[in-house]
């Protein structure tokens, strides 16, 4: 009957509907991507540095462009940064 067909279609739609996404954080270092005063320079984007006076756009662009870095000394040893930027 028509009622049985609609009930079957509704049941199939419920089964086929995707489950809601969980709200868990997949990457534990998300705060270091711009949500705190400490920044993961190897993973943060340029916009993170707008919160730090003197960093955006010049120094921030260079940090993003010339990474990844292994340490702070690695950052300041790069020839792309001027002495004033270091």
């Amino acid at each position: 009957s028509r009622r049985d067909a609609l009930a079957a279609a509704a049941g199939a739609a419920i089964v086929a509907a995707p489950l809601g996404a969980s709200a868990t954080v997949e990457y534990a270092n998300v705060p270091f991507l711009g949500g705190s005063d400490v920044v993961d320079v190897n993973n943060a984007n340029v916009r993170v540095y707008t919160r730090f006076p003197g960093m955006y756009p010049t120094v921030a662009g260079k940090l993003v462009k010339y990474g990844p870095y292994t340490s702070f000394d690695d950052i300041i040893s790069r020839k792309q940064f001027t002495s004033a930027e270091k």
Side-chain angles (χ1 to χ4, degrees):
S1 76
R2 185 178 217 175
R3 176 177 279 169
D4 293 334
L6 288 175
I14 291 172
V15 171
L19 297 174
S22 65
T24 59
V25 176
E26 294 180 20
Y27 178 60
N29 292 326
V30 166
F32 301 115
L33 300 180
S36 71
D37 291 337
V38 179
V39 175
D40 179 353
V41 295
N42 289 321
N43 293 307
N45 65 32
V46 172
R47 296 182 69 193
V48 170
Y49 298 101
T50 60
R51 298 183 320 120
F52 302 103
M55 296 282 298
Y56 183 83
T58 307
V59 177
K62 289 180 180 181
L63 280 171
V64 172
K65 184 176 181 180
Y66 297 112
Y69 307 98
T70 56
S71 66
F72 178 74
D73 291 331
D74 185 24
I75 294 171
I76 62 172
S77 68
R78 303 278 175 110
K79 64 182 178 183
Q80 289 85 6
F81 297 99
T82 66
S83 58
E85 294 170 340
K86 295 176 185 179

